[in-house]
Amino acid sequence: MKDSINIRIFTLFLCSSVFLCSAVFAEAADSNSTGVERYAIYIGSNSGGKNNSRLLYAGTDAMSFQKTMSEIGGVPESNSILLLDPSKENVDDALSAVSNAIVQGKSVSRRTEFIFYYSGHSDENALLLGKSSYEYSQLKESISNVPSDVHVVILDSCYSGNFIRTKGGQRKKPFLMDDSTVVKGHAYLSSSSALESSQESDEIGSSFFTNAMLTGLRGAADTSGDNKVSLNELYSYAFNDTLARTESSSAGPQHPNYNITLVGSGDLILSDISASESALMIPEEITGKIIIRDSFGKLISEINKTEKNPVYFALSAGTYTAVLITETDTLQGTFLLKKNQLLKLDRSYFNSVIARTENRLRGDETVNEAENSAESEGNEGALGPSGISETTVPLEIKPFHFAFAGENGSNVQSIISIGLIRASDFIVNGAQASLFSGNVTDTMNGAQASLIGVDAGVVNGIQGAGIYASSQVLNGAQASGIFNRSGTVNGVQGTGIFNQANSLMGVQGSGIFNTVQDGSGIQAAGLFNCARTINGIQAAGLFNISGTVRGVQAGGVVNVAKKVTGIQVGLINVAEENNGVALGLLNIIRNGVHDAGMMIDTNGNMFVQIQGGTNHLFTTALYGSSPRYFFSSGGNDYYHFFALGLGTRFNCRKVSFDIEALFFNTLCQAVVDIGDEIHDIINKYEDDGKSFSDDASTEDKDRVEDLAEQFHKYTYPSLRFSVSYNLLSHFSLFATACVDVRIEDWNDEAFDYGNRNLSIDFTAGSNDVTLYPSFGLGVKIR
């Protein structure tokens, strides 16, 4: 009996131990997973084909959405793809790439979520992607094939309600951001109904729907006060804000639609305000409309705060302007938001009072039919500058308007507006010129020029200044002799010294320095470029810096980037991640090739080498000689080998294979003598204060030319194959097989130095060719 009790106790103890061990191992296994992993594709397509006018802000909307989701939406940049004016094939390739990434990441994440954002043209049946289209039914199937647990689709385009119309708009209870339950499903959001146009605005430099989404994601939609924005909160905010902004538009009110079918519990959190690097807190006592613009004048958000509770709003560190509009006052101020700071935006920051103008609301009985007709003609309805008419301003038409010292001629429609000190107008359809400064606070369609400075809210034409030009939105050309600054540029921005732009889609050029936050096009400077994101070409005579490059980054000396999908070309290339090509003498690519090694070959030579670049294409710099001359030179028989080349690498776990094309130069006493003779001839003229190119005799010029042609006799091409084995994470052994090429009567002298133990002779055309194989062993530090 006693033994039976002991056995039962032992059995119970053993089972408990197994259970506890299983729990510990399960917890350890879970600790290796990341919970929720998000992926995203952002598409901005300004081109809708030949039958549709080109949009202005679809591309910048997509970049802004990517930026916001990267900062507070839990989508790392490495998991996102940005497409600007893509074809259908480009979209399919992106969907395939995301699918592959999700499959590869399944082992380290317990739930995956996929976000698909599109801004551009569409019709009742398809997205319009320039010359191609993507039918809704096919797009829905392609998105459904992405192997994520959740699909969130956001379409900001005309008639986009047709994408979700077939399934209606019935809500089901969404789920938590954490992974406490198993959930699956989709959420489709569209900017308009199946029969409505979607609209963008010059005033806000964005589409109404996307601007509402971004404002809501950054905190304006957080009605619960938990510093998180859920899917339900975001849709509700975007619906109300978009409808309020478009209900008086000539294109008609815009009603965002939804279809949410998510199985689980809780609520889907789309953004976490506490994850931002800095934030605003708008206190309880402030109510009204708060308009926030960045240092470039670009609208960041319009927050309608009605309730007596604080609102938290996520922002990047920087300088901002805020306008507070209440029932009685309009106040303005600026504030500096530092990194990792929570700034309380109380009334002390609004230290400037703005005088209000008497505007006539659309639909006022005093507005005559002619004015209404004129307004309607300016609005086309589809996503474009159409539908931008919240109020109607009575205009005073003056063919010639003169503004002297400090005078502001507001609400003036002019052919020419000239100001001795300042000319300031709400709308200028013509040309504005000012001796010292010119300012258009709303819209200008024409040309603006100033000797000292130019400012404008929206310019659709040309803006130029002798010293300074600044614009919130520019669709055309902006030029300045010294300095340009612009919120959004869709065209050309050029200056003799310095350019600065928040978003650029076109060409930015400067004699000295360019900086841009998000650029699509060409950024070129005589000395220095700086950008956060470049989709196109970034080129400078000296130095390039960029966060993300999708295209070409070319600098005369140094290129620095965080992530490159394309090509880096420069003397020195540095990147944290390069998935394309790096061409330079020194390439420091964190996820690529960065090896230093030493080897000895069968000809008795010792070599040191540096390899740097990407696996697709890397550069090799190599120096070698006999151990006898490796660290010295002397006598007529000494020699040194120098080589530069390009290679590609194939990795297979611990083993890698390199194929390299090298070009060697043999440095010996004969080469030194050639260089000395050329130097002496040229110095003979320079010592007498003359120019060799202008004053040298024909005999001396011919001699220098003959000597220079002799250099190729001491060079030779070579092909090298290498295999490396990684013994440790940063240490490997490698073996090489190399073939040097000698061509008779072309580079014979190069092979007069050093030992050649093996040779293969054959005839190629009229030339005798000799191959010199050699083998080597060495070590690398990676």
Side-chain angles (χ1 to χ4, degrees):
M1 182 68 178
K2 184 177 180 180
D3 292 339
S4 176
I5 293 174
N6 290 336
I7 291 173
R8 291 181 181 179
I9 293 174
F10 176 75
T11 302
L12 181 61
F13 173 76
L14 181 62
C15 291
S16 301
S17 300
V18 172
F19 177 79
L20 290 174
C21 290
S22 300
V24 171
F25 284 122
E27 183 177 356
D30 287 346
S31 66
N32 292 326
S33 67
T34 58
V36 178
E37 188 77 7
R38 280 184 169 170
Y39 301 82
I41 294 176
Y42 310 94
I43 301 174
S45 183
N46 285 316
S47 175
K50 62 181 181 180
N51 295 325
N52 293 287
S53 60
R54 184 172 179 84
L55 303 178
L56 302 180
Y57 308 113
T60 54
D61 279 349
M63 289 188 284
S64 297
F65 213 97
Q66 181 192 34
K67 178 178 183 292
T68 300
M69 294 303 294
S70 175
E71 292 177 356
I72 57 175
V75 185
E77 196 170 286
S78 58
N79 287 2
S80 65
I81 297 175
L82 175 66
L83 301 176
L84 299 177
D85 289 325
S87 64
K88 179 181 180 297
E89 290 73 21
N90 297 143
V91 177
D92 285 333
D93 290 343
L95 289 168
S96 177
V98 168
S99 297
N100 293 334
I102 291 175
V103 171
Q104 294 175 5
K106 281 288 187 182
S107 60
V108 295
S109 61
R110 284 172 280 178
R111 190 174 80 234
T112 57
E113 300 172 4
F114 172 54
I115 298 172
F116 183 92
Y117 169 87
Y118 172 79
S119 177
H121 280 287
S122 65
D123 59 20
E124 293 87 346
N125 302 308
L127 304 184
L128 304 180
L129 304 170
K131 296 180 179 180
S132 60
S133 63
Y134 210 134
E135 292 187 3
Y136 291 138
S137 58
Q138 187 178 358
L139 176 63
K140 190 178 296 184
E141 180 181 357
S142 299
I143 292 174
S144 298
N145 289 334
V146 175
S148 64
D149 299 303
V150 177
H151 301 87
V152 177
V153 180
I154 301 169
L155 301 183
D156 189 354
S157 57
C158 294
Y159 315 113
S160 52
N162 286 281
F163 180 83
I164 65 176
R165 183 176 60 176
T166 56
K167 291 189 177 181
Q170 297 180 357
R171 295 185 195 228
K172 292 188 179 180
K173 199 173 185 182
F175 54 92
L176 288 170
M177 175 71 177
D178 64 46
D179 55 349
S180 59
T181 184
V182 177
V183 290
K184 291 182 181 295
H186 69 254
Y188 299 152
L189 305 180
S190 69
S191 62
S192 59
S193 71
L195 302 176
E196 293 175 345
S197 299
S198 295
Q199 306 160 46
E200 65 178 18
S201 165
D202 286 330
E203 181 184 3
I204 63 176
S206 174
S207 80
F208 292 112
F209 180 70
T210 291
N211 182 261
M213 295 283 285
L214 297 178
T215 301
L217 285 167
R218 290 195 172 274
D222 177 26
T223 56
S224 64
D226 61 355
N227 288 333
K228 293 179 176 62
V229 176
S230 69
L231 178 64
N232 288 329
E233 288 176 326
L234 181 63
Y235 172 77
S236 178
Y237 179 86
F239 178 91
N240 292 324
D241 190 75
T242 303
L243 180 59
R245 286 171 174 265
T246 59
E247 59 188 355
S248 60
S249 166
S250 64
Q254 185 177 323
H255 299 80
N257 276 14
Y258 69 90
N259 169 265
I260 302 173
T261 306
L262 297 172
V263 180
S265 61
D267 207 349
L268 172 60
I269 303 302
L270 287 182
S271 66
D272 184 354
I273 302 165
S274 62
S276 178
E277 67 173 11
S278 51
L280 287 182
M281 192 274 279
I282 304 173
E284 299 90 335
E285 62 269 17
I286 290 185
T287 58
K289 178 182 287 188
I290 299 100
I291 302 173
I292 300 175
R293 297 182 183 272
D294 63 14
S295 59
F296 301 99
K298 179 177 174 59
L299 179 69
I300 301 299
S301 69
E302 289 188 17
I303 305 171
N304 290 301
K305 187 172 178 296
T306 57
E307 298 181 0
K308 295 286 187 178
N309 59 335
V311 171
Y312 292 87
F313 196 80
L315 282 177
S316 302
T319 303
Y320 296 89
T321 300
V323 175
L324 173 62
I325 303 174
T326 68
E327 293 181 357
T328 58
D329 301 306
T330 300
L331 308 174
Q332 180 175 316
T334 61
F335 62 91
L336 174 63
L337 186 61
K338 299 179 181 178
K339 192 172 183 179
N340 301 320
Q341 180 186 15
L342 176 62
L343 178 66
K344 182 179 180 181
L345 190 66
D346 56 29
R347 280 188 173 268
S348 64
Y349 286 93
F350 298 95
N351 48 26
S352 178
V353 179
I354 300 177
R356 294 188 173 185
T357 59
E358 294 296 329
N359 294 334
R360 187 184 311 161
L361 298 178
R362 179 179 294 274
D364 193 324
E365 294 180 356
T366 59
V367 180
N368 60 46
E369 294 180 0
E371 288 175 333
N372 283 331
S373 175
E375 292 162 8
S376 299
E377 291 175 1
N379 295 315
E380 299 170 1
L383 236 164
S386 56
I388 312 162
S389 183
E390 297 181 3
T391 60
T392 301
V393 181
L395 300 179
E396 179 184 357
I397 301 176
K398 296 183 179 181
F400 295 91
H401 170 62
F402 298 91
F404 298 98
E407 179 186 347
N408 291 320
S410 60
N411 305 335
V412 176
Q413 184 175 7
S414 311
I415 298 175
I416 298 178
S417 177
I418 301 174
L420 179 63
I421 301 297
R422 180 181 184 84
S424 178
D425 300 290
F426 275 105
I427 298 174
V428 177
N429 296 303
Q432 185 187 54
S434 177
L435 181 61
F436 293 105
S437 68
N439 182 38
V440 174
T441 59
D442 192 358
T443 303
M444 183 184 78
N445 301 294
Q448 186 183 39
S450 176
L451 178 63
I452 301 298
V454 171
D455 292 302
V458 177
V459 177
N460 297 296
I462 299 174
Q463 184 186 51
I467 294 182
Y468 169 75
S470 176
S471 180
Q472 180 189 339
V473 177
L474 175 74
N475 302 297
Q478 185 184 45
S480 176
I482 300 295
F483 173 63
N484 283 324
R485 187 180 74 173
S486 184
T488 302
V489 178
N490 296 292
V492 179
Q493 186 185 41
T495 185
I497 301 293
F498 174 65
N499 284 320
Q500 183 173 336
N502 185 23
S503 296
L504 173 75
M505 301 182 71
V507 179
Q508 184 185 47
S510 176
I512 301 294
F513 176 52
N514 285 320
T515 178
V516 66
Q517 194 170 20
D518 295 293
S520 298
I522 300 174
Q523 185 188 38
L527 291 181
F528 179 45
N529 284 320
C530 182
R532 191 185 70 173
T533 301
I534 281 291
N535 296 287
I537 299 175
Q538 185 186 45
L542 183 63
F543 197 37
N544 285 317
I545 294 179
S546 183
T548 300
V549 177
R550 298 180 182 91
V552 179
Q553 186 186 46
V557 180
V558 180
N559 292 313
V560 178
K562 184 177 181 181
K563 182 179 180 180
V564 178
T565 303
I567 302 175
Q568 276 184 307
V569 182
L571 189 64
I572 300 172
N573 297 309
V574 180
E576 185 173 328
E577 180 181 349
N578 188 324
N579 298 312
V581 172
L583 292 176
L585 181 62
L586 178 61
N587 299 304
I588 305 172
I589 311 297
R590 186 174 180 181
N591 74 323
V593 177
H594 35 76
D595 302 347
M598 178 178 290
M599 62 167 283
I600 296 178
D601 70 3
T602 53
N603 291 328
N605 296 313
M606 184 168 64
F607 291 89
V608 293
Q609 65 182 37
I610 296 176
Q611 296 169 304
T614 69
N615 291 319
H616 300 296
L617 187 68
F618 61 83
T619 58
T620 299
L622 187 144
Y623 161 72
S625 183
S626 166
R628 177 182 175 187
Y629 304 120
F630 196 83
F631 296 107
S632 63
S633 62
N636 292 326
D637 59 344
Y638 83 88
Y639 63 90
H640 300 286
F641 298 121
F642 297 92
L644 291 175
L646 299 174
T648 187
R649 174 167 296 178
F650 303 92
N651 292 305
C652 182
R653 296 188 178 181
K654 287 192 173 185
V655 179
S656 62
F657 302 90
D658 294 350
I659 303 175
E660 298 165 278
L662 303 171
F663 201 77
F664 278 86
N665 178 266
T666 303
L667 178 64
C668 56
Q669 187 60 48
V671 173
V672 174
D673 291 342
I674 292 173
D676 288 343
E677 186 174 351
I678 292 176
H679 182 266
D680 291 341
I681 294 174
I682 294 176
N683 274 0
K684 179 176 66 176
Y685 291 91
E686 292 182 351
D687 291 342
D688 294 336
K690 299 179 180 179
S691 170
F692 174 79
S693 59
D694 297 332
D695 302 321
S697 64
T698 302
E699 181 181 358
D700 286 339
K701 288 184 177 179
D702 291 342
R703 179 57 180 166
V704 168
E705 185 176 345
D706 291 341
L707 291 170
E709 289 179 355
Q710 295 182 29
F711 278 115
H712 72 77
K713 298 180 179 180
Y714 298 90
T715 61
Y716 60 91
S718 181
L719 187 64
R720 186 170 74 160
F721 302 88
S722 303
V723 56
S724 302
Y725 180 78
N726 298 332
L727 289 176
L728 301 172
S729 58
H730 297 290
F731 183 81
S732 62
L733 299 176
F734 72 98
T736 66
C738 187
V739 179
D740 301 333
V741 182
R742 172 181 177 177
I743 303 174
E744 186 181 22
D745 297 330
W746 185 73
N747 62 350
D748 295 330
E749 284 82 351
F751 294 89
D752 292 341
Y753 300 87
N755 298 320
R756 311 286 175 173
N757 296 322
L758 298 173
S759 64
I760 302 172
D761 297 321
F762 64 95
T763 300
S766 60
N767 296 320
D768 292 332
V769 178
T770 303
L771 303 181
Y772 294 98
S774 62
F775 305 91
L777 289 174
V779 295
K780 287 182 182 179
I781 298 175
R782 318 189 98 175

